[in-house]
């Protein structure tokens, strides 16, 4: 089973980590990677910029062993390990990613000419950082691989499109459509990863939260797609580290989603709880959720919930789990007009379903 992995640095990040930025558990994963020899292979595509579509690009299949695995995409490797364990078949990963790249870097010229805010003269311009240039990844790295038989796509990107949350959903959905048309294998599955909690210039800002929300909107626009929540996968000290160290749970959650939605394996939980609706009674609100059949943990003192009145000023709310619902209250507002959960750049999530899948960050307004 071959899966095509793409995006920016959080997909590119190898098991060996980046400078001063490790991958949690990497020493063990690398040391034991030989047990997957013949079961897991990865082809890492060389970073190649091109202003016109190329037909060839450097990259070769490497078998899983300590000497090779240390340079494998960590997310891709952990996905492959989980999928191999689930299916008991060999898994191949094509890692076609470039740190810092924008979604516009993975789109062709004929699509980008439709976007007024994209300057195509930046492509090939030495005054512009390569990872910021439009279409060069599509031309130099993706185009040569078109038609290689794959089972689906994995996507970990979005950090470089912060502050472009209004255009991101349509552009990512369009990118998926274009890729599927080029591969000609039908509606190939497309599974993506939330951007991590991070300061994004202001720990209390919401531009990162808005992009995360846009990622979910993109998947709502895209058939046969999904997105895994990562709000709980940042250490307390990682507010200024865009490369959160916990990659194994991301790869596993992607594999669980593929197992359920692509391979039809029953009994695996892959969908995080999401906000559904709420009932407001003054300074109290009862929140209802999807994918929370077993309720939430912890069942009291749930952290991360904020409410605002009509003035739009947010205050921390008290929250407790009640069966499958969550009740929030706040003495600082007379009537709750808005509710949000972990809807800040840096607010790692601590609320989980009983399947230990994190509650997806959200914001919502009450009906008047």
């Amino acid at each position: 089973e071959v899966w095509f992995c793409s995006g920016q640095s959080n997909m590119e990040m190898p098991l060996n980590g980046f400078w001063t930025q490790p991958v949690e558990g990497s020493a063990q994963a690398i040391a034991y990677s030989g047990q997957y020899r013949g079961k897991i292979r990865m082809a890492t595509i060389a970073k190649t910029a091109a202003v016109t579509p190329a037909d060839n690009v450097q990259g070769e299949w490497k078998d899983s062993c300590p000497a090779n695995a240390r340079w494998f995409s960590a997310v891709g490797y952990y996905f492959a390990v989980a999928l191999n364990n689930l299916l008991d078949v060999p898994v191949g990963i094509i890692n076609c990613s470039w740190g810092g790249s924008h979604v516009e870097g993975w789109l062709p010229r004929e699509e980008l000419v439709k976007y007024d805010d994209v300057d195509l003269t930046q492509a090939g311009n030495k005054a512009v950082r390569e990872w910021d240039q439009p279409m060069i990844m599509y031309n130099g790295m993706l185009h040569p691989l078109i038609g290689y038989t794959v089972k689906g796509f994995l996507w970990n990107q979005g950090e470089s499109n912060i502050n472009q949350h209004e255009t991101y959903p349509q552009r990512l959905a369009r990118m998926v459509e274009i890729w599927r048309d080029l591969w000609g294998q039908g509606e190939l599955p497309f599974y993506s990863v939330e951007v991590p909690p991070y300061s994004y210039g202001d720990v209390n800002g919401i531009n990162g939260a808005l992009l995360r929300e846009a990622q979910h909107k993109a998947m709502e626009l895209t058939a046969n797609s999904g997105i895994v929540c990562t709000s709980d996968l940042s250490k307390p000290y990682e507010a200024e580290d865009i490369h959160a160290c916990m990659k194994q749970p991301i790869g596993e959650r992607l594999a669980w989603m593929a197992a359920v939605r692509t391979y039809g394996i029953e009994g695996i939980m892959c969908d995080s709880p999401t906000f559904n609706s709420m009932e407001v009674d003054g300074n109290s609100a009862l929140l209802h959720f999807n994918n929370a059949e077993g309720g939430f943990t912890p069942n009291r003192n749930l952290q991360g919930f904020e409410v605002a009145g009509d003035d739009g000023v947010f205050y921390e709310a008290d929250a407790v789990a009640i069966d499958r619902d969550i009740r929030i209250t706040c003495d600082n507002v007379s009537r709750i007009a808005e509710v949000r959960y972990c809807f800040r750049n840096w607010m790692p999530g601590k609320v989980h379903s009983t399947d230990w899948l994190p509650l997806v960050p959200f914001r919502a307004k009450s009906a008047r």
Side-chain angles (χ1 to χ4, degrees), residues 16 29 89 112 141 172 206 244 252 271 285 302 347 359:
N16 202 38
V89 298
L112 294 174
M141 300 170 66
L172 182 57
I206 65 168
E252 290 177 336
D271 294 314
L302 279 64
M347 186 178 279
L359 175 60

Side-chain angles (χ1 to χ4, degrees), residues 7 29 35 81 83 93 98 112-113 119-120 161 176 181 223 249 258 281 291 293-294 302 311 316 352 365:
Q35 66 183 304
V81 167
L83 197 63
I93 299 294
W98 191 327
L112 294 174
V113 294
D119 181 3
L120 289 175
N161 284 95
V176 178
D181 287 344
D281 182 12
N291 309 320
E293 289 75 10
L302 279 64
D311 61 1
E316 183 179 356
H352 294 79
K365 292 185 177 181

Side-chain angles (χ1 to χ4, degrees), residues 13 16 40-41 46 50 82 108 143 147 170 202 216 227 247 287 303 309 338-339 354:
M13 190 176 190
N16 202 38
I40 292 174
R41 298 181 180 87
H143 189 270
Q170 293 75 22
D202 178 5
H216 282 267
I227 181 169
K247 301 303 185 192
L287 310 183
Q303 299 179 34
E338 298 180 68
V339 175
T354 51

Side-chain angles (χ1 to χ4, degrees), residues 50-56 108-110 135 138-141 143-144 146:
V51 295
T52 58
D55 294 325
N56 297 285
R109 175 185 291 274
E110 52 267 30
M135 77 179 178
Y138 170 86
N139 288 329
M141 300 170 66
H143 189 270
I146 292 171

Side-chain angles (χ1 to χ4, degrees), residues 98-102 105 122 128-134 136-137 160:
W98 191 327
S101 60
H102 302 243
Q122 291 183 340
V128 180
R129 298 178 303 186
E130 282 189 309
W131 57 85
D132 286 330
Q133 296 178 20
I136 64 164
M137 296 88 187
S160 288

